[in-house]
Amino acid sequence: MPGRRPRFLLALVLASAVASGCAVDPEVAPVPLVAGSSTTVAPAQLVAQPKAAKAGEEVRLSGEGYPANSRVVFTFHGQRVGDATTDGAGRFAGALVKVPDSFRTSAPGTQFVVGATSGPFYAETPFVLTR
């Protein structure tokens, strides 16, 4: 078609811009584009102990795979319930959070998601409400 550039050319131009450092979003860490290399980032992990409890009870959260010495925010089904700071290896252990009282009206056996976020690092684990 006259006046249109092929899509592969656009992709090549964008890849060149990113590789040269142009048009890099400062919020996103650049990914190296080196032939034959690969970058692997271990995913963050989260564990709740116990994995089931009543509304109002405390739960201990532990995790790893976060940035070193960073703040991790905890949520129960999207509702913020606390935070912790990771150690030099990106881990935290035994952080106490309370199951929100607002869950008292939920039926026993209802499954929620507990989340832990630090910037772009996120992990979640299932959690079951008891009576």
Side-chain angles (χ1 to χ4, degrees):
M1 280 180 152
R4 284 189 70 193
R5 293 184 181 173
R7 288 185 183 175
F8 74 89
L9 181 58
L10 179 59
L12 180 62
V13 170
L14 289 174
S16 294
V18 171
S20 68
C22 298
V24 174
D25 184 348
E27 296 290 320
V28 179
V31 176
L33 299 175
V34 179
S37 73
S38 66
T39 303
T40 304
V41 177
Q45 297 177 359
L46 177 65
V47 175
Q49 199 60 0
K51 295 179 184 294
K54 298 176 186 177
E57 291 186 340
E58 290 185 328
V59 177
R60 291 190 182 276
L61 301 177
S62 300
E64 61 183 39
Y66 293 91
N69 306 307
S70 66
R71 187 170 144 245
V72 179
V73 175
F74 305 123
T75 57
F76 260 84
H77 206 63
Q79 183 177 340
R80 185 176 173 176
V81 292
D83 60 66
T85 302
T86 62
D87 63 15
R91 297 179 300 229
F92 60 90
L96 280 175
V97 297
K98 187 175 159 185
V99 179
D101 288 327
S102 61
F103 292 178
R104 287 192 194 283
T105 58
S106 299
T110 301
Q111 185 170 330
F112 293 97
V113 174
V114 179
T117 306
S118 180
F121 294 83
Y122 176 77
E124 61 184 33
T125 189
F127 187 83
V128 178
L129 193 65
T130 62
R131 283 258 188 226

